């Protein structure tokens, strides 16, 4: 449920005065205790959320022709996020692919906040789970968020990006976001980039014939369904190497 609903509900309880009738004298001790409990509940709720809302103000991109830098649609999506080692559920989120930044909405004033990337362990949005990974000996060339498509022994991740491009059409400058997705598969503790069918077969060379037969039997299409194809092959490979 929307956290703003809870906030409004709790504020409503706090601001509401006691109802009295002419024939009934209110129990002031009971009312005081109830109001104090409401204040405590509200304070605890805000305190529990405050660690999430400590980012900097996010500057919106002014959309042109429905172009936008976000993952999915240009609207809030509710998801879960592990931020500063705390799990927050059903939080309004944007994921800006052009800046590799996660955006949330302040609980009280509705401002868009750019969360601190280093404090984010993972977040889920639009049915996808993104994890933060660092470059190094794991084969990755850059820090950032990677879409976790398959979390088996041969993990499959995607680095998703949108880059703002300018094109001139009829003396007008048109801005568009070009999306680029790079696939990686974990093999022997190293993430190896895969682009097509041949690179996947090279990666799983120790089971090449089995993989080829599996792809042919199941009519797996790399050109039109590349991400799904890589995930299915990785799953199959893992079943052959238990």
């Amino acid at each position: 449920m929307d956290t703003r609903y809870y906030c409004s509900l709790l504020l409503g309880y706090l601001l509401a005065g006691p109802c009295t009738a002419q024939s009934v004298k209110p129990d002031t001790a009971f009312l005081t205790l109830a109001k104090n409990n409401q204040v405590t509940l509200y304070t605890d709720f805000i305190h529990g959320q405050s660690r999430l809302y400590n980012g900097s103000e996010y500057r919106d991109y002014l959309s042109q022709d429905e172009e936008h830098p976000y993952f999915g649609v240009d609207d809030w999506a509710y998801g879960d996020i592990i931020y500063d080692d705390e799990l927050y559920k059903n939080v309004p989120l944007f994921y800006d692919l052009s800046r590799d930044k996660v955006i949330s909405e302040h609980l009280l004033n509705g401002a868009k906040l750019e969360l601190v990337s280093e404090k984010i362990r993972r977040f889920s949005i639009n049915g996808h789970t993104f994890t933060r990974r660092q470059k190094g000996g794991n084969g990755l060339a850059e820090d950032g968020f990677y879409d976790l498509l398959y979390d088996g022994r041969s993990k499959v991740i995607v680095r998703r990006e949108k880059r703002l491009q300018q094109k001139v059409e009829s003396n007008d400058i048109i801005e568009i976001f070009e999306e680029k997705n790079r696939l990686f598969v974990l093999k022997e503790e190293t993430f190896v980039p895969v682009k097509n069918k041949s690179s996947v077969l090279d990666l799983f060379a120790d089971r090449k014939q089995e993989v080829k037969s599996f792809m042919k039997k199941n009519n797996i299409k790399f050109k039109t369904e590349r991400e799904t194809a890589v995930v299915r092959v990785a799953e199959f490979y893992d079943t052959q190497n238990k």
Side-chain angles (χ1 to χ4, degrees):
M1 184 178 291
D2 191 338
T3 51
R4 288 173 294 181
Y5 171 80
Y6 287 118
C7 185
S8 299
L9 185 62
L10 289 169
L11 281 173
Y13 283 135
L14 292 176
L15 296 176
C19 297
T20 60
Q22 291 182 352
S23 60
V24 179
K25 183 178 181 180
D27 187 336
T28 56
F30 173 78
L31 291 175
T32 300
L33 178 61
K35 188 169 184 178
N36 287 342
N37 287 340
Q38 291 167 2
V39 172
T40 300
L41 177 61
Y42 177 76
T43 303
D44 290 345
F45 176 77
I46 294 300
H47 177 72
Q49 298 292 319
S50 63
R51 292 175 66 183
L52 178 63
Y53 302 109
N54 62 357
S56 58
E57 183 178 359
Y58 173 74
R59 293 184 179 181
D60 268 321
Y61 170 78
L62 300 179
S63 179
Q64 299 181 14
D65 298 326
E66 299 185 354
E67 289 285 328
H68 63 81
Y70 308 112
F71 176 71
V73 297
D74 183 12
D75 197 3
W76 290 112
Y78 286 82
D80 301 340
I81 184 170
I82 298 179
Y83 188 75
D84 205 10
D85 294 326
E86 292 288 341
L87 172 62
Y88 299 89
K89 300 180 72 65
N90 205 28
V91 174
L93 297 173
F94 272 114
Y95 176 27
D96 186 335
L97 293 172
S98 68
R99 305 177 194 173
D100 198 29
K101 293 292 184 180
V102 179
I103 317 303
S104 190
E105 185 180 28
H106 196 284
L107 181 66
L108 298 180
N109 60 25
K112 290 183 178 180
L113 295 179
E114 183 178 296
L115 302 181
V116 181
S117 296
E118 290 76 14
K119 292 186 177 183
I120 301 173
R121 188 189 308 172
R122 68 168 56 201
F123 66 95
S124 299
I125 186 173
N126 295 323
H128 291 250
T129 296
F130 291 83
T131 59
R132 180 166 175 80
R133 299 180 184 274
Q134 294 181 310
K135 63 184 178 181
N138 57 4
L140 299 177
E142 56 187 334
D143 299 342
F145 298 109
Y146 292 79
D147 191 354
L148 181 62
L149 298 185
Y150 172 57
D151 196 17
R153 183 177 180 183
S154 301
K155 299 182 188 298
V156 179
I157 61 175
V158 184
R159 176 67 167 167
R160 302 192 185 279
E161 298 175 282
K162 280 188 176 181
R163 297 177 181 176
L164 184 61
Q165 305 289 339
Q166 292 184 336
K167 295 184 179 181
V168 179
E169 294 183 3
S170 302
N171 296 323
D172 292 328
I173 298 178
I174 307 297
E175 291 187 340
I176 63 172
F177 281 97
E178 292 186 351
E179 189 167 354
K180 181 180 180 181
N181 300 314
R182 289 175 288 156
L183 272 164
F184 300 85
V185 177
L186 185 67
K187 182 75 181 295
E188 297 177 355
E189 305 302 322
T190 300
F191 282 104
V192 180
V194 292
K195 297 180 179 181
N196 48 38
K197 179 179 177 180
S198 61
S199 62
V200 172
L201 290 174
D202 289 341
L203 179 64
F204 298 132
D206 55 320
R207 295 280 185 178
K208 189 172 185 176
Q209 291 305 315
E210 294 98 317
V211 170
K212 287 179 67 175
S213 298
F214 171 77
M215 290 190 295
K216 183 177 180 179
K217 180 180 179 180
N218 291 275
N219 196 28
I220 293 178
K221 305 292 185 181
F222 273 82
K223 290 184 179 181
T224 56
E225 301 176 346
R226 187 168 64 111
E227 293 181 7
T228 301
V230 173
V231 168
R232 292 193 64 188
V233 170
E235 289 175 333
F236 172 76
Y237 178 83
D238 286 352
T239 63
Q240 302 300 302
N241 288 275
K242 289 184 177 180

